[in-house]
Amino acid sequence: MKHFFRTVAKVTVPPLLYVLMRIIWFSTSKKFHFISPVGEEQHVCVCWHGELFMSPQAYREIHKKQLASAIISSHFDGSLIAGTLKYLHIRPLRGSTKRGARQVLLQAFKSIKAGEEVLITPDGPRGPRHSMSDGAVGIALKSGLPIFIMNFMAENYWQLKSWDRFVIPKPFSKVDFYLQSISLEGMDFEEAKAFLSERMLEHTILQ
């Protein structure tokens, strides 16, 4: 019975979630703050797991036609996220940099070689919230690509009691997006992780 309900959810939830995301997107007042220029060059793209409701939409607003894939966990909730992101033309790479890391990283580098941008939530798939896993930094250092950071802060919002404190802006509220491109060139691994974490925490909802 559990398998049946999950199968049904995989079909029905993503389109409903996508419609809800677009309703919120078009009903909010959005302002884009480019902390540093984000050009058309290829990036590794990151946002916090709790910001997945809006950040992929902001990504598509900035990079409308860029080929893209996203590292998404192989868990059931990851299936729902993967199904939803397909509507934004973001191809799922199933796995995580914590579980099945080798396979998903190989997929990521193949995607980059094919010209895609790879989207990652550094604290996904299960947290802790706002922690920095190795994946995004490792891919950026190995590929030599800059990192496109996407954050947002909403004037009025709902916040779920999930581990990631998932944020959903309320309709007709103001949403500020903070976008920046950073380079990790010349940094060692731990220095790069600390630097990326610091920059990602500058413009996010912390409570």
Side-chain angles (χ1 to χ4, degrees):
M1 186 62 70
K2 183 179 179 180
H3 176 73
F4 171 76
F5 283 115
R6 286 194 167 190
T7 300
V8 171
K10 287 178 184 178
V11 174
T12 59
V13 171
L16 294 174
L17 184 55
Y18 175 72
V19 169
L20 177 60
M21 288 169 65
R22 298 310 278 168
I23 289 172
I24 297 293
W25 178 265
F26 287 114
S27 70
T28 52
S29 172
K30 295 171 288 295
K31 186 171 183 179
F32 295 88
H33 306 271
F34 288 90
I35 299 167
S36 62
V38 179
E40 295 299 319
E41 64 180 312
Q42 191 179 15
H43 286 78
V44 175
C45 308
V46 296
C47 71
W48 294 124
H49 200 276
E51 297 181 1
L52 276 171
F53 195 86
M54 297 294 278
S55 289
Q57 298 187 85
Y59 169 79
R60 268 294 168 235
E61 184 71 16
I62 305 305
H63 283 181
K64 289 183 170 61
K65 297 182 179 180
Q66 173 66 48
L67 297 175
S69 54
I71 294 177
I72 303 169
S73 79
S74 54
H75 297 106
F76 170 67
D77 54 354
S79 298
L80 303 182
I81 294 171
T84 305
L85 291 184
K86 284 182 179 178
Y87 289 98
L88 292 169
H89 305 289
I90 297 173
R91 186 172 66 88
L93 305 176
R94 302 306 303 277
S96 77
T97 53
K98 293 181 179 178
R99 179 178 295 182
R102 178 178 172 80
Q103 181 180 0
V104 77
L105 289 176
L106 285 174
Q107 290 183 67
F109 287 118
K110 286 181 180 178
S111 296
I112 288 170
K113 189 174 181 180
E116 293 183 350
E117 292 190 313
V118 174
L119 285 68
I120 309 174
T121 54
D123 57 347
R126 296 294 173 91
R129 182 185 184 222
H130 293 166
S131 61
M132 182 59 59
S133 64
D134 294 346
V137 169
I139 292 171
L141 289 175
K142 181 79 172 177
S143 65
L145 295 179
I147 292 184
F148 178 6
I149 298 175
M150 301 169 287
N151 291 121
F152 75 85
M153 299 184 76
E155 184 178 45
N156 296 298
Y157 56 89
W158 294 289
Q159 193 166 27
L160 304 186
K161 294 182 179 180
S162 52
W163 68 263
D164 58 357
R165 305 291 291 151
F166 198 81
V167 176
I168 303 174
K170 293 184 177 180
F172 312 110
S173 62
K174 179 184 177 184
V175 181
D176 288 281
F177 290 92
Y178 298 90
L179 311 164
Q180 55 185 312
S181 175
I182 65 168
S183 172
L184 304 181
E185 186 178 357
M187 299 183 190
D188 64 36
F189 198 84
E190 292 304 320
E191 180 186 7
K193 282 180 67 175
F195 179 68
L196 178 57
S197 178
E198 179 183 350
R199 298 300 290 268
M200 289 186 71
L201 288 170
E202 287 176 345
H203 304 286
T204 194
I205 296 169
L206 297 174
Q207 68 265 29

